[in-house]
Amino acid sequence: MTEKTHSFRTDLNRARGIGSAKDGVGHWSKLRIAAIPMVPLFIYFLTQIDHLTTRNRAAFVEWLQEPVPAIAVILFIVCAFFHGSLGVEEIIIDYVPNEKYKIISLIVNKMFFLGLGFASIYAVLAISFGKI
Amino acid sequence: MSKIDRPLSPHVEIYKWPFPAILSISHRATGAGLALGAILVTVWLFAALSGDDAFALVQRFRESIIGRLMLFGWLFAFVYHLLNGVRHMRWDAGYGFDLKSTYRSGWIMVCGTVIISVLTWIIVR
Ligand code: HEM
């Protein structure tokens, strides 16, 4: 490549960001780092299944006002929604070849998970701190 | 935007579906399904926040036939995706890549999914 001979940019700099995700291995590792905590959290929720499936709102609220359940639910929401947004991003990148639609889908996806995630955390905090 | 008609290498329409390929696309399908189901998690938390009537409505829906089907589907998808995710990360760590281990871990994962989701469902109902 003749272009390269006259360039001051390093090879790494030229290669960065031209993959379909415009991002390197970061996406891959973030997806996994967000996935791992969900394994113990799922096991914890299995031990709490009676509280999670109760018909009695007062009992559910009381459970969610305890620190451990509240923190566990918030952690789960953070992990699931962050992991989910990265995962759906991967699917969009694979199936939406048109650049314009791809970018729009990626933005909609981010907003979807950010919105749902923050709303869910708000609901948990409001319940925990007794705003009911 | 100009459309480039590049040839595609033969893929899904040509080949039979080997067992690992079915497991692989199911990981993607369960991931997408779980993402949609996440909406219901938010709805459920807001119902608990907003009042007895809203919470009772959500619980009544959950106990309807459709609600039960959806919750079992979500549970099954979650367990499948969790166990297969662990299988993925075992590969990522460099283990179990040969064809024989891939088939074996696949069957272990499928059996584990059925057992764990059915057992959990018996508790949840
Ligand atoms: C214990 C829970 C979970 C674990 C261990 C886990 C693990 C994983 C792993 C390892 C991958 C990457 C697979 C690959 O490289 O092809 C993945 C992909 C994905 N996950 Fe999860 N996950 C979990 C829960 C969830 C949840 C709750 C959602 C939805 C909100 C979700 C949505 C996705 C999506 C959409 C993908 C992308 C699928 C693809 O690219 O084909 N996952 N998951």
Side-chain angles (χ1 to χ4, degrees):
Chain A
M1 299 271 156
T2 47
E3 189 201 336
K4 197 191 146 201
T5 14
H6 302 294
S7 174
F8 288 103
R9 294 169 69 196
T10 62
D11 291 342
L12 179 62
N13 181 281
R14 290 188 322 114
R16 265 198 182 128
I18 56 177
S20 55
K22 315 291 172 220
D23 184 5
V25 74
H27 194 276
W28 186 94
S29 28
K30 281 180 210 153
L31 187 133
R32 278 149 185 82
I33 289 165
I36 293 166
M38 284 193 278
V39 178
L41 283 170
F42 181 69
I43 297 169
Y44 168 71
F45 288 136
L46 285 183
T47 70
Q48 304 290 310
I49 203 96
D50 287 345
H51 299 288
L52 286 165
T53 57
T54 180
R55 241 177 248 156
N56 182 341
R57 173 167 172 255
F60 180 69
V61 163
E62 203 177 310
W63 177 75
L64 206 52
Q65 286 178 336
E66 298 284 327
V68 175
I71 293 169
V73 171
I74 291 174
L75 270 182
F76 183 80
I77 290 166
V78 171
C79 290
F81 286 50
F82 185 48
H83 171 92
S85 84
L86 293 173
V88 173
E89 211 161 75
E90 220 170 289
I91 298 178
I92 292 170
I93 286 163
D94 282 354
Y95 297 148
V96 186
N98 178 306
E99 203 65 28
K100 192 165 70 186
Y101 294 138
K102 181 163 83 185
I103 289 169
I104 294 171
S105 320
L106 289 174
I107 293 171
V108 170
N109 172 52
K110 270 268 148 57
M111 288 173 157
F112 174 82
F113 281 102
L114 268 178
L116 281 186
F118 278 111
S120 306
I121 292 170
Y122 167 82
V124 176
L125 289 178
I127 292 171
S128 297
F129 295 132
K131 188 180 175 294
I132 43 168
Chain B
M1 210 169 273
S2 65
K3 187 173 180 301
I4 308 163
D5 274 320
R6 281 180 299 197
L8 269 184
S9 60
H11 61 307
V12 285
E13 300 96 356
I14 304 283
Y15 298 115
K16 279 192 205 160
W17 281 81
F19 178 56
I22 297 172
L23 298 186
S24 171
I25 194 62
S26 304
H27 191 80
R28 175 157 280 194
T30 51
L34 289 170
L36 277 180
I39 300 173
L40 297 178
V41 175
T42 311
V43 169
W44 171 61
L45 289 169
F46 267 91
L49 176 64
S50 53
D52 288 337
D53 291 348
F55 195 72
L57 190 72
V58 167
Q59 286 302 328
R60 229 177 302 129
F61 177 70
R62 184 177 83 67
E63 283 163 21
S64 70
I65 307 240
I66 301 172
R68 279 171 210 262
L69 278 175
M70 283 168 74
L71 190 63
F72 183 72
W74 202 77
L75 174 70
F76 191 88
F78 197 97
V79 176
Y80 179 97
H81 192 94
L82 187 156
L83 294 183
N84 202 45
V86 172
R87 182 165 166 256
H88 256 284
M89 291 187 277
R90 177 168 168 260
W91 284 326
D92 296 337
Y95 303 105
F97 254 128
D98 58 290
L99 210 51
K100 195 158 161 267
S101 325
T102 298
Y103 272 84
R104 201 187 46 201
S105 64
W107 280 115
I108 293 174
M109 186 274 294
V110 169
C111 295
T113 302
V114 173
I115 292 169
I116 295 175
S117 24
V118 169
L119 282 183
T120 310
W121 188 250
I122 290 172
I123 316 171
V124 179
R125 267 162 319 185

